[in-house]
Amino acid sequence: KNQVEQSPQSLIILEGKNCTLQCNYTVSPFSNLRWYKQDTGRGPVSLTIMTFSENTKSNGRYTATLDADTKQSSLHITASQLSDSASYICVVSEGSTGRRALTFGSGTRLQVQP
Amino acid sequence: DAGITQSPRHKVTETGTPVTLRCHQTENHRYMYWYRQDPGHGLRLIHYSYGVKDTDKGEVSDGYSVSRSKTEDFLLTLESATSSQTSVYFCAISDPGPYNEQFFGPGTRLTVL
Protein backbone atom coordinates (compact mmCIF):
# COMPACT_ATOMS: atom_id res chain seq x y z
CA LYS A 1 0.00 0.00 0.00
CA ASN A 2 1.28 3.46 -0.91
CA GLN A 3 2.13 5.51 2.15
CA VAL A 4 3.58 8.91 3.00
CA GLU A 5 4.92 9.44 6.51
CA GLN A 6 5.80 12.88 7.86
CA SER A 7 7.78 13.92 10.90
CA PRO A 8 7.55 15.54 13.27
CA GLN A 9 3.78 15.69 13.73
CA SER A 10 4.12 19.13 15.25
CA LEU A 11 6.87 21.65 15.81
CA ILE A 12 7.23 24.93 17.67
CA ILE A 13 10.04 27.33 16.79
CA LEU A 14 10.90 30.94 17.49
CA GLU A 15 10.55 33.57 14.82
CA GLY A 16 13.72 33.94 12.77
CA LYS A 17 14.88 30.37 13.32
CA ASN A 18 15.24 27.71 10.65
CA CYS A 19 13.53 24.33 10.62
CA THR A 20 13.40 21.16 8.54
CA LEU A 21 10.40 18.92 8.00
CA GLN A 22 10.77 15.31 6.87
CA CYS A 23 8.80 13.10 4.49
CA ASN A 24 9.33 9.39 3.75
CA TYR A 25 7.27 7.63 1.11
CA THR A 26 6.69 4.17 -0.28
CA VAL A 27 4.69 5.17 -3.37
CA SER A 28 5.60 3.22 -6.45
CA PRO A 29 6.00 3.90 -9.28
CA PHE A 30 6.96 7.45 -8.42
CA SER A 31 5.94 10.39 -10.59
CA ASN A 32 6.50 13.52 -8.53
CA LEU A 33 6.49 14.89 -5.00
CA ARG A 34 5.04 18.16 -3.88
CA TRP A 35 4.83 20.11 -0.66
CA TYR A 36 1.69 22.01 0.24
CA LYS A 37 1.13 24.67 2.87
CA GLN A 38 -2.26 24.70 4.56
CA ASP A 39 -3.25 27.65 6.71
CA THR A 40 -5.90 27.05 9.36
CA GLY A 41 -9.35 27.05 7.80
CA ARG A 42 -8.02 27.18 4.24
CA GLY A 43 -7.30 24.70 1.47
CA PRO A 44 -3.75 23.48 0.75
CA VAL A 45 -1.58 25.63 -1.51
CA SER A 46 1.32 24.21 -3.50
CA LEU A 47 4.84 25.28 -2.53
CA THR A 48 7.03 23.08 -4.73
CA ILE A 49 6.78 20.14 -7.12
CA MET A 50 9.75 17.88 -7.85
CA THR A 51 10.17 15.08 -10.34
CA PHE A 52 12.47 12.09 -10.11
CA SER A 53 15.42 13.96 -11.62
CA GLU A 54 15.24 17.01 -9.36
CA ASN A 55 17.19 17.05 -6.10
CA THR A 56 16.42 20.54 -4.87
CA LYS A 57 13.83 23.18 -5.55
CA SER A 58 13.36 26.52 -3.85
CA ASN A 59 10.43 28.87 -3.46
CA GLY A 60 11.58 31.94 -1.56
CA ARG A 61 12.48 30.89 1.98
CA TYR A 62 11.26 27.34 1.32
CA THR A 63 13.70 24.76 -0.04
CA ALA A 64 12.64 21.20 -0.77
CA THR A 65 15.02 18.32 -1.34
CA LEU A 66 14.34 14.91 -2.81
CA ASP A 67 16.36 11.69 -2.59
CA ALA A 68 14.56 9.27 -4.88
CA ASP A 69 16.93 6.43 -3.96
CA THR A 70 16.05 6.51 -0.26
CA LYS A 71 12.52 7.80 -0.95
CA GLN A 72 12.93 10.76 1.35
CA SER A 73 12.17 14.45 1.03
CA SER A 74 12.65 17.40 3.30
CA LEU A 75 11.31 20.93 3.43
CA HIS A 76 13.64 23.52 4.91
CA ILE A 77 12.26 26.85 6.05
CA THR A 78 14.77 29.64 6.48
CA ALA A 79 14.38 32.66 8.78
CA SER A 80 10.89 31.68 9.85
CA GLN A 81 8.10 34.25 10.08
CA LEU A 82 4.87 34.24 12.04
CA SER A 83 3.02 33.73 8.76
CA ASP A 84 4.78 30.39 8.33
CA SER A 85 2.55 28.98 11.06
CA ALA A 86 0.56 26.34 9.19
CA SER A 87 0.41 22.65 8.37
CA TYR A 88 2.83 21.41 5.74
CA ILE A 89 1.71 18.43 3.73
CA CYS A 90 3.90 16.11 1.66
CA VAL A 91 2.11 14.58 -1.34
CA VAL A 92 3.42 11.95 -3.72
CA SER A 93 1.97 11.29 -7.15
CA GLU A 94 1.86 7.75 -8.47
CA GLY A 95 3.05 7.27 -11.99
CA SER A 96 1.09 4.30 -13.23
CA THR A 97 -2.61 5.12 -13.11
CA GLY A 98 -4.34 7.28 -15.66
CA ARG A 99 -5.47 9.74 -13.05
CA ARG A 100 -2.05 9.71 -11.35
CA ALA A 101 -3.35 9.12 -7.85
CA LEU A 102 -2.02 11.26 -5.04
CA THR A 103 -1.01 9.94 -1.64
CA PHE A 104 -1.09 12.55 1.11
CA GLY A 105 0.88 12.64 4.32
CA SER A 106 -0.96 13.67 7.47
CA GLY A 107 1.11 16.84 7.72
CA THR A 108 3.43 18.61 10.12
CA ARG A 109 1.85 21.40 12.12
CA LEU A 110 4.34 24.25 12.51
CA GLN A 111 3.87 27.03 15.02
CA VAL A 112 6.19 30.03 14.87
CA GLN A 113 6.23 32.04 18.06
CA PRO A 114 7.44 35.66 18.49
CA ASP B 1 -8.06 29.66 -3.94
CA ALA B 2 -7.55 29.46 -7.71
CA GLY B 3 -11.10 30.35 -8.79
CA ILE B 4 -12.75 27.62 -6.74
CA THR B 5 -15.66 28.18 -4.41
CA GLN B 6 -17.40 25.72 -2.14
CA SER B 7 -20.83 26.01 -0.61
CA PRO B 8 -21.86 25.93 2.08
CA ARG B 9 -18.69 26.66 4.03
CA HIS B 10 -20.15 25.30 7.23
CA LYS B 11 -23.06 22.96 7.83
CA VAL B 12 -24.51 21.18 10.81
CA THR B 13 -27.01 18.44 10.12
CA GLU B 14 -28.57 15.44 11.79
CA THR B 15 -27.93 11.75 11.22
CA GLY B 16 -30.04 10.34 8.42
CA THR B 17 -30.60 13.58 6.51
CA PRO B 18 -29.40 14.09 2.93
CA VAL B 19 -26.67 16.66 2.37
CA THR B 20 -25.30 18.14 -0.86
CA LEU B 21 -22.05 20.07 -1.08
CA ARG B 22 -21.26 22.16 -4.12
CA CYS B 23 -17.95 22.93 -5.77
CA HIS B 24 -17.83 25.64 -8.44
CA GLN B 25 -14.80 26.55 -10.57
CA THR B 26 -14.14 29.37 -13.00
CA GLU B 27 -10.89 27.91 -14.40
CA ASN B 28 -12.48 25.56 -16.96
CA HIS B 29 -10.33 22.71 -15.66
CA ARG B 30 -11.24 19.22 -16.81
CA TYR B 31 -10.63 17.28 -13.62
CA MET B 32 -12.44 17.83 -10.33
CA TYR B 33 -12.02 15.99 -7.05
CA TRP B 34 -13.67 15.65 -3.68
CA TYR B 35 -11.51 14.88 -0.63
CA ARG B 36 -12.16 14.62 3.05
CA GLN B 37 -9.67 15.64 5.71
CA ASP B 38 -9.76 14.17 9.22
CA PRO B 39 -7.36 14.62 12.14
CA GLY B 40 -4.44 12.20 11.94
CA HIS B 41 -5.18 11.34 8.31
CA GLY B 42 -3.98 12.79 5.08
CA LEU B 43 -6.54 14.01 2.61
CA ARG B 44 -8.43 11.04 1.21
CA LEU B 45 -10.06 10.94 -2.19
CA ILE B 46 -13.82 10.34 -2.21
CA HIS B 47 -14.73 10.70 -5.90
CA TYR B 48 -13.33 12.44 -8.90
CA SER B 49 -14.52 13.55 -12.32
CA TYR B 50 -12.59 13.58 -15.59
CA GLY B 51 -15.26 15.35 -17.58
CA VAL B 52 -18.93 16.22 -17.71
CA LYS B 53 -20.94 13.18 -16.63
CA ASP B 54 -17.70 11.18 -16.21
CA THR B 55 -16.96 10.24 -12.61
CA ASP B 56 -15.17 7.51 -10.72
CA LYS B 57 -14.71 6.34 -7.15
CA GLY B 58 -11.82 7.13 -4.87
CA GLU B 59 -10.57 5.25 -1.84
CA VAL B 60 -13.37 6.29 0.58
CA SER B 61 -16.45 6.47 -1.65
CA ASP B 62 -18.92 4.44 0.44
CA GLY B 63 -21.90 6.57 1.49
CA TYR B 64 -21.16 9.29 -1.08
CA SER B 65 -22.34 10.01 -4.61
CA VAL B 66 -21.36 12.74 -7.06
CA SER B 67 -22.68 14.41 -10.16
CA ARG B 68 -21.21 16.69 -12.76
CA SER B 69 -23.65 18.10 -15.30
CA LYS B 70 -21.53 21.14 -16.20
CA THR B 71 -17.78 21.68 -16.45
CA GLU B 72 -17.84 24.23 -13.66
CA ASP B 73 -19.90 22.36 -11.04
CA PHE B 74 -19.20 19.17 -9.10
CA LEU B 75 -21.69 18.09 -6.45
CA LEU B 76 -21.06 15.72 -3.56
CA THR B 77 -24.11 14.11 -1.96
CA LEU B 78 -24.40 12.24 1.28
CA GLU B 79 -27.64 10.34 0.81
CA SER B 80 -28.11 9.68 4.52
CA ALA B 81 -25.50 11.42 6.64
CA THR B 82 -23.80 9.54 9.47
CA SER B 83 -21.63 10.82 12.31
CA SER B 84 -18.58 9.19 10.69
CA GLN B 85 -19.00 11.64 7.82
CA THR B 86 -18.28 14.59 10.09
CA SER B 87 -15.23 16.04 8.40
CA VAL B 88 -13.79 18.89 6.38
CA TYR B 89 -14.45 18.41 2.68
CA PHE B 90 -12.19 19.89 0.02
CA CYS B 91 -12.79 20.22 -3.67
CA ALA B 92 -9.82 20.33 -6.02
CA ILE B 93 -9.34 20.93 -9.74
CA SER B 94 -6.61 20.10 -12.23
CA ASP B 95 -5.92 19.95 -15.93
CA PRO B 96 -4.11 17.18 -17.81
CA GLY B 97 -0.40 17.85 -17.57
CA PRO B 98 2.85 16.27 -16.47
CA TYR B 99 2.41 17.10 -12.81
CA ASN B 100 -1.33 16.68 -12.23
CA GLU B 101 -1.07 19.78 -10.08
CA GLN B 102 -4.24 20.16 -8.07
CA PHE B 103 -5.65 23.42 -6.78
CA PHE B 104 -7.85 23.30 -3.72
CA GLY B 105 -10.96 25.14 -2.66
CA PRO B 106 -11.46 26.67 0.80
CA GLY B 107 -13.23 23.64 2.25
CA THR B 108 -16.60 22.86 3.82
CA ARG B 109 -16.81 21.91 7.47
CA LEU B 110 -19.63 19.40 7.94
CA THR B 111 -20.86 18.27 11.34
CA VAL B 112 -23.32 15.39 11.57
CA LEU B 113 -25.00 15.15 14.96
Side-chain angles (χ1 to χ4, degrees):
Chain A
K1 180 182 176 183
N2 290 335
Q3 286 190 312
V4 175
E5 303 284 346
Q6 292 188 243
S7 62
Q9 283 190 319
S10 62
L11 182 62
I12 301 174
I13 63 173
L14 293 177
E15 186 178 13
K17 298 296 185 182
N18 304 334
C19 67
T20 300
L21 314 180
Q22 301 291 344
C23 173
N24 296 333
Y25 63 91
T26 58
V27 177
S28 181
F30 174 87
S31 176
N32 60 72
L33 182 146
R34 72 281 302 278
W35 284 90
Y36 281 91
K37 178 186 179 187
Q38 184 176 20
D39 292 315
T40 301
R42 307 279 308 261
V45 175
S46 181
L47 292 174
T48 65
I49 297 178
M50 290 184 292
T51 61
F52 184 89
S53 59
E54 296 175 294
N55 300 119
T56 303
K57 184 166 280 191
S58 292
N59 178 359
R61 296 179 296 102
Y62 301 101
T63 299
T65 65
L66 173 64
D67 185 334
D69 291 332
T70 62
K71 298 186 177 181
Q72 295 180 325
S73 176
S74 65
L75 180 69
H76 185 74
I77 304 174
T78 303
S80 61
Q81 300 176 359
L82 297 178
S83 59
D84 293 330
S85 295
S87 288
Y88 292 85
I89 303 172
C90 177
V91 185
V92 180
S93 179
E94 181 186 325
S96 64
T97 61
R99 63 181 170 88
R100 286 164 290 171
L102 301 182
T103 302
F104 291 78
S106 57
T108 293
R109 181 172 294 277
L110 174 66
Q111 184 177 346
V112 180
Q113 294 184 339
Chain B
D1 293 318
I4 310 169
T5 57
Q6 294 184 231
S7 58
R9 294 292 315 277
H10 302 272
K11 185 171 182 66
V12 179
T13 191
E14 293 189 348
T15 298
T17 60
V19 176
T20 295
L21 308 183
R22 179 182 184 237
C23 176
H24 178 79
Q25 61 147 328
T26 58
E27 306 294 326
N28 201 35
H29 280 16
R30 177 181 172 187
Y31 293 88
M32 298 186 75
Y33 310 80
W34 277 108
Y35 292 91
R36 60 178 291 173
Q37 186 176 41
D38 303 291
H41 292 274
L43 280 94
R44 292 180 289 175
L45 182 65
I46 304 171
H47 282 280
Y48 69 100
S49 169
Y50 45 95
V52 173
K53 293 187 174 22
D54 293 323
T55 65
D56 204 350
K57 296 179 180 180
E59 61 180 300
V60 290
S61 59
D62 287 348
Y64 302 94
S65 62
V66 291
S67 66
R68 190 170 179 199
S69 59
K70 297 185 290 185
T71 298
E72 57 266 34
D73 289 325
F74 193 32
L75 303 181
L76 176 71
T77 297
L78 291 65
E79 300 290 348
S80 177
T82 67
S83 58
S84 64
Q85 293 176 312
T86 293
S87 187
V88 181
Y89 291 86
F90 287 98
C91 173
I93 63 174
S94 72
D95 253 350
Y99 298 121
N100 186 26
E101 182 164 12
Q102 296 187 13
F103 302 93
F104 288 83
T108 293
R109 181 173 294 276
L110 175 67
T111 302
V112 183
L113 301 175

